[in-house]
Amino acid sequence: MFGLVIMFARLGGALRAAWSSPTFRGTACALALLWASATVFYAGQERWSVLDSLYFAVCTGLTIGYGDLAPVTALGKVFTVLYGLLAVGAFAALATQLARAFTTTNVRRVARAKARRQRHHRDD
């Protein structure tokens, strides 16, 4: 359990570091806009609830594809193909940027710890 808490703390630090990047913020905003657009589209076109529409949009964007919901209209199917291409790319770009921030913050954390050990060792 303690390891999970540490992992989430480090992920939070990586999110804060990533958010300082205009590229990350832009990608996150584009993804949020895609989610919102898909949610509105599916709610209107497929007559799904807002929650079901958002759920489907996120599952499609993450390529989970449970299969419990599927568009039945021709327009819904075409939209899903286009949305999937955009959303998968946006999710991948966001994940890449977050992984880069996570790695960078981890490297800095390890370097600080190493410097502290060296200072402590020299003081002895």
Side-chain angles (χ1 to χ4, degrees), residues 48 52 55-56 59 65-70:
W48 294 341
D52 282 347
Y55 164 78
F56 182 77
C59 287
Y66 290 120
D68 53 345
L69 292 172

Side-chain angles (χ1 to χ4, degrees), residues 94-123:
L94 197 67
T96 300
Q97 294 166 27
L98 184 57
R100 185 178 300 123
F102 186 83
T103 303
T104 301
T105 57
N106 193 46
V107 166
R108 289 179 185 153
R109 183 186 57 78
V110 169
R112 283 192 308 267
K114 185 176 180 180
R116 278 193 305 269
R117 281 193 305 272
Q118 288 176 345
R119 280 194 309 267
H120 179 72
H121 192 65
R122 274 187 257 139
D123 292 342

Side-chain angles (χ1 to χ4, degrees), residues 59-109:
C59 287
T60 300
L62 289 173
T63 68
I64 295 171
Y66 290 120
D68 53 345
L69 292 172
V72 293
T73 65
L75 183 58
K77 292 174 183 179
V78 170
F79 179 85
T80 300
V81 168
L82 298 174
Y83 167 75
L85 292 171
L86 293 172
V88 169
F91 269 111
L94 197 67
T96 300
Q97 294 166 27
L98 184 57
R100 185 178 300 123
F102 186 83
T103 303
T104 301
T105 57
N106 193 46
V107 166
R108 289 179 185 153
R109 183 186 57 78

Side-chain angles (χ1 to χ4, degrees), residues 26-43:
T27 305
C29 289
L31 187 56
L33 183 61
L34 274 170
W35 276 344
S37 299
T39 300
V40 169
F41 176 83
Y42 292 125

